[in-house]
Amino acid sequence: MFFFLMVLIVALFQFRVYVCMVAGAYVEDALAVSNLASALIDVEEYGRSHSVRIGDTQNAFRVYRDALYDNLALDEEGYSAKEDLLAGQVELREYIVYNVSDQEIQISVYDGEGNCLRQERERPGEVRTPDGVAVEHTTVYSRVGFRIRGLMGRTMEAEKEKSVDIVRCESEERE
């Protein structure tokens, strides 16, 4: 009986660990897709100079937020319809756009409400995203916080962050 109880406890623990891993992957995938959705490059600028940059970073944040809410099935208050994976409110904590040109990197930092906290300019080669990715091309970074259910009804705080860069793709074959 004791052995059966121990096996049951270990199995429950492993199942909870698996659910936590699935929730983390679910949120990370939603972050990546939402970041890509918000990568709205300025096509006029691209047509003139072949420079890949996000012209309206405020609009990019709004697109990111809407895409994240859709991808995570969140309601207006930020609660997920998938309560078995995400317990409680999902918080948008940070959204950063790095617009890269030859001479400088323009950095626009937003909080979870879409308020622009600061705009800076840095030199290329010296900038890294908060998750440690070197900024070489126009990049979008975001970070969210969420809660997941643990053992015996407890919830645990978790956080995910993701960077995606936007690179101009040139064909090596020219006709």
Side-chain angles (χ1 to χ4, degrees):
M1 181 76 139
F2 178 73
F3 178 73
F4 175 73
L5 187 59
M6 289 303 293
V7 169
L8 182 63
I9 290 172
V10 169
L12 285 173
F13 180 75
Q14 285 187 326
F15 177 73
R16 267 293 138 202
V17 169
Y18 174 74
V19 169
C20 292
M21 289 174 33
V22 168
Y26 174 66
V27 172
E28 190 169 350
D29 289 347
L31 277 177
V33 171
S34 301
N35 284 353
L36 287 172
S38 73
L40 305 168
I41 68 165
D42 185 342
V43 291
E44 288 181 15
E45 176 70 27
Y46 181 76
R48 280 193 303 268
S49 66
H50 293 293
S51 175
V52 175
R53 53 180 280 106
I54 298 171
D56 185 353
T57 57
Q58 185 75 44
N59 185 50
F61 173 81
R62 284 190 295 272
V63 170
Y64 160 77
R65 182 190 57 220
D66 293 345
L68 186 67
Y69 272 56
D70 286 344
N71 292 327
L72 291 177
L74 303 178
D75 64 14
E76 296 82 29
E77 286 82 40
Y79 291 91
S80 178
K82 299 182 186 271
E83 293 176 356
D84 52 329
L85 290 180
L86 303 176
Q89 190 175 28
V90 175
E91 298 175 13
L92 282 67
R93 296 200 171 148
E94 192 171 31
Y95 178 81
I96 306 174
V97 175
Y98 300 88
N99 276 317
V100 177
S101 67
D102 292 334
Q103 299 86 12
E104 68 181 2
I105 299 175
Q106 296 174 337
I107 304 168
S108 301
V109 180
Y110 292 88
D111 66 8
E113 301 296 317
N115 301 313
C116 186
L117 300 177
R118 68 184 187 280
Q119 292 186 325
E120 314 172 338
R121 297 179 190 275
E122 297 288 338
R123 289 187 289 158
E126 298 179 0
V127 179
R128 292 191 170 274
T129 63
D131 61 345
V133 176
V135 177
E136 298 172 352
H137 305 282
T138 295
T139 301
V140 175
Y141 164 85
S142 65
R143 179 170 54 98
V144 298
F146 57 98
R147 299 185 75 71
I148 52 177
R149 295 196 193 288
L151 289 176
M152 297 187 290
R154 294 184 178 231
T155 59
M156 297 177 289
E157 184 74 25
E159 190 172 78
K160 279 290 184 180
E161 57 188 349
K162 191 70 175 171
S163 297
V164 296
D165 59 346
I166 307 138
V167 181
R168 181 174 68 136
C169 186
E170 294 183 20
S171 173
E172 292 189 29
E173 291 182 30
R174 303 239 180 212
E175 293 183 37

